[in-house]
């Protein structure tokens, strides 16, 4: 924030501000300058920690600001007013992020006014904001979906900024994917242009784990866990019937991480199809012939396909959803028909068990590991906002919490590298 006056922090560490039974001198927070919980502004986390032994310096390397509480903050408790919004598709952990934003704002920084914006960006200007007290979010981390609701589209930079300023909000927290992040960056830039003391912090959400730079995004681990269960079900069904084929359709529009990780976790998958690696459908070396050969050898075959794979074999309508994502044709159903027809023509009629757990995966509560990650990302976003940063996302890089400019990640995508070791491990896992 330009031209903002620094204040001594009022962050309370592990102590809750609203615990009345705790005497003041029993709540010990390290003093500034001591070996402490506070982050030095000079500390960064290297984007790539791998160096050669004979390297002489760090010139030209990228480092991201380390996240965490600062000794100086730029908002006093009495002036701070926060709004939280969730946008785009559902993802495990959304409620945990909301809960931890509210908890950190209220209990760690003493913010008295925290609001939830209903149903995505349009909620800023089309509906009443919901006050969020600690009791409102106490157990929502156990629930799937989003307490605040969600939607795609609805972003109008001017109307949203006008509504935020009219409400006196100066801390804005957005939770969503690439489209949401682009909108968040536009809001942050508009507030800078208006010279408004408003910060915009983003918690990246993509169940596909396709946001670049980050170790992982929240919800991905839960999605892989649930997808693995679906694969086990499909395999058990396939094994139980003559010429059984278990066909599992999973999320992954442009990046096949869910399909690939679930395949490796489940074992017992014969082929995994992802958007990054084209496959041949017909012919002696094609997918259909391969499935036939696996059935001939072991009596069944298990196929996992990410939704964005094989789109070149289908005809999509060319449209897009309200978030600007291209509408995909349904590869899973297409493959089911092709496999059935091929095996019938080979006089080996198949028993195909088609499993699509998409909505069950998206709406399930977060696993323990994802719940922890959600807490870390939410608290880091609050620390960054109080430290006066704007237009940033919180994330984990090389196992450490960092603050990354949104501009570094918007419009870019993390994908599987077919030439990399991870893909070779997947090929080994499937044979």
């Amino acid at each position: 924030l330009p031209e903002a006056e620094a204040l001594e922090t009022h962050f309370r560490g592990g102590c809750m501000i609203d615990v009345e039974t705790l005497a003041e001198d029993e709540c010990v927070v390290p003093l500034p300058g001591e070996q402490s919980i506070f982050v030095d502004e000079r500390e960064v986390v290297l984007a790539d920690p791998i160096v050669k032994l004979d390297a002489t310096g760090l010139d030209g390397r990228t480092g991201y600001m380390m996240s965490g509480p600062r000794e100086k903050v730029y908002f006093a408790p009495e002036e701070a007013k926060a709004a939280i919004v969730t946008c785009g598709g559902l993802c495990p952990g959304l409620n945990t992020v909301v809960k931890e934003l509210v908890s950190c704002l209220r209990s760690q920084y003493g913010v008295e006014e925290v609001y939830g914006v209903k149903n995505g960006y349009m909620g800023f200007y089309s509906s009443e904001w919901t006050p969020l007290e600690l009791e409102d979010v106490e157990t929502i981390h156990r629930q799937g979906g989003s307490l605040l609701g969600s939607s795609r589209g609805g972003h109008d930079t001017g109307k949203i900024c006008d509504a935020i300023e009219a409400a006196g909000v100066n801390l804005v927290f957005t939770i969503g994917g690439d489209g949401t992040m682009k909108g968040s960056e536009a809001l942050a830039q508009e507030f800078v242009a208006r010279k408004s003391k408003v910060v915009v912090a983003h918690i990246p959400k993509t169940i596909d784990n396709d946001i670049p730079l980050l170790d992982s995004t929240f919800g991905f681990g839960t999605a892989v866990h649930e997808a693995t269960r679906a694969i086990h079900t499909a395999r058990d069904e396939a094994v139980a019937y003559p010429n059984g084929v278990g066909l599992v359709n999973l999320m992954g529009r442009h990046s096949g991480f869910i399909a690939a990780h679930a395949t490796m976790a489940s074992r017992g998958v014969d082929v995994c199809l992802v958007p990054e690696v084209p496959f041949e459908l017909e012919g002696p070396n094609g997918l259909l012939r391969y499935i036939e050969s696996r059935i001939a050898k072991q009596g069944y075959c298990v196929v996992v396909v990410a939704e964005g794979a094989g789109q070149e074999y289908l005809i999509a309508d060319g449209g897009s959803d309200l978030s600007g994502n291209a509408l995909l044709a349904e590869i899973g159903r297409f493959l089911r028909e092709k496999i059935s027809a091929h095996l019938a023509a080979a006089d080996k009629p198949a028993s195909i068990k088609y499993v699509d757990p998409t909505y069950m995966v998206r709406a399930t509560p977060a696993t323990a590991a994802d719940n922890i990650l959600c807490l870390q990302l939410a608290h880091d976003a609050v620390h960054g906002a109080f430290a006066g940063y704007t237009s940033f996302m919180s994330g984990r890089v090389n196992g450490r919490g960092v603050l990354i400019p949104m501009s570094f990640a918007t419009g870019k995508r993390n994908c599987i590298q077919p030439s990399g070791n991870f893909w070779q491990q997947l090929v080994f896992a499937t044979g």
Side-chain angles (χ1 to χ4, degrees):
L1 285 174
E3 303 174 6
E5 181 182 353
L7 309 168
E8 292 297 329
T9 186
H10 46 281
F11 173 68
R12 296 298 296 270
C15 298
M16 298 293 191
I17 286 173
D18 60 346
V19 178
E20 297 177 358
T21 59
L22 196 64
E24 188 69 25
D25 58 0
E26 293 181 40
C27 187
V28 179
V29 176
L31 296 173
E34 294 183 357
Q35 182 67 31
S36 72
I37 57 175
F38 296 113
V39 173
D40 189 318
E41 292 290 350
R42 297 168 297 176
E43 295 178 321
V44 300
V45 176
L46 290 178
D48 183 358
I50 300 174
V51 297
K52 294 184 178 180
L53 285 174
D54 57 357
T56 57
L58 297 176
D59 291 348
R61 299 179 68 83
T62 298
Y64 303 121
M65 297 298 301
M66 187 177 291
S67 62
R70 264 61 174 177
E71 294 183 9
K72 300 290 184 181
V73 296
Y74 290 85
F75 295 93
E78 60 272 13
E79 72 168 322
K81 192 173 182 179
I84 304 167
V85 66
T86 60
C87 304
L90 295 181
C91 176
L94 278 172
N95 280 332
T96 308
V97 174
V98 173
K99 169 188 170 65
E100 293 303 332
L101 286 171
V102 174
S103 297
C104 189
L105 286 164
R106 288 190 174 277
S107 297
Q108 302 279 40
Y109 284 95
V111 179
E112 296 184 357
E113 292 188 72
V114 181
Y115 295 92
V117 178
K118 287 286 188 178
N119 300 323
Y121 275 135
M122 66 180 67
F124 277 105
Y125 53 83
S126 65
S127 62
E128 293 290 326
W129 300 6
T130 303
L132 295 176
E133 304 288 344
L134 289 171
E135 54 267 27
D136 297 324
V137 299
E138 184 175 3
T139 60
I140 65 171
H141 61 289
R142 304 178 191 172
Q143 306 165 18
S146 171
L147 172 74
L148 301 179
S150 190
S151 69
R152 298 187 185 276
H155 186 276
D156 185 313
T157 302
K159 290 173 69 174
I160 293 173
C161 289
D162 289 345
I164 289 170
E165 288 184 332
V169 163
N170 45 27
L171 302 167
V172 179
F173 298 94
T174 62
I175 311 166
D178 185 65
T180 305
M181 185 156 49
K182 290 177 182 175
S184 301
E185 188 179 15
L187 296 179
Q189 291 173 349
E190 177 64 17
F191 284 126
V192 170
R194 295 184 182 193
K195 299 187 184 302
S196 298
K197 189 183 177 182
V198 180
V199 298
V200 181
H202 183 71
I203 297 90
K205 176 227 71 176
T206 164
I207 202 169
D208 292 342
N209 198 38
D210 59 358
I211 291 181
L213 312 179
L214 305 179
D215 293 349
S216 182
T217 50
F218 77 84
F220 172 68
T222 304
V224 171
H225 177 78
E226 292 297 316
T228 301
R229 294 176 57 191
I231 293 172
H232 288 161
T233 297
R235 185 181 186 279
D236 291 344
E237 287 282 348
V239 170
Y241 293 88
N243 299 332
V245 177
L247 176 58
V248 184
N249 188 77
L250 296 173
M251 289 166 291
R253 298 176 59 84
H254 304 285
S255 303
F257 288 110
I258 291 178
H261 280 257
T263 291
M264 293 175 68
S266 65
R267 315 299 196 272
V269 174
D270 296 293
V271 60
C272 176
L273 308 173
V274 298
E276 297 92 330
V277 182
F279 64 91
E280 198 174 322
L281 184 63
E282 309 279 358
N285 295 316
L287 172 68
L288 299 176
R289 181 68 186 89
Y290 174 74
I291 293 173
E292 182 184 349
S293 70
R294 296 307 298 166
I295 293 175
K297 181 175 182 179
Q298 62 189 21
Y300 67 92
C301 183
V302 179
V303 179
V304 173
V305 57
E307 61 182 326
Q311 289 295 306
E312 64 273 19
Y313 295 113
L314 303 115
I315 300 176
D317 63 9
S320 60
D321 62 23
L322 292 175
S323 293
N325 301 312
L327 295 175
L328 302 178
E330 295 190 36
I331 183 65
R333 296 181 187 278
F334 169 81
L335 287 180
R336 180 174 62 179
E337 294 175 3
K338 286 291 185 179
I339 294 169
S340 179
H342 177 85
L343 293 176
D347 199 25
K348 299 176 182 177
S351 176
I352 301 178
K353 308 302 179 182
Y354 180 61
V355 180
D356 186 343
T358 296
Y359 292 104
M360 293 179 65
V361 170
R362 282 176 35 167
T364 194
T367 59
D370 264 333
N371 265 319
I372 294 170
L373 178 59
C374 290
L375 181 151
Q376 294 169 330
L377 296 177
H379 286 216
D380 286 348
V382 175
H383 297 323
F386 266 91
Y389 290 106
T390 189
S391 194
F392 73 89
M393 68 176 183
S394 61
R396 313 291 287 184
V397 171
N398 300 318
R400 304 299 294 268
V402 294
L403 310 178
I404 300 179
M406 285 190 252
S407 60
F408 277 37
T410 53
K412 302 171 185 175
R413 185 172 289 113
N414 187 28
C415 294
I416 295 173
Q417 299 300 319
S419 59
N421 189 48
F422 174 75
W423 182 253
Q424 295 306 313
Q425 290 171 337
L426 178 100
V427 172
F428 175 80
T430 61

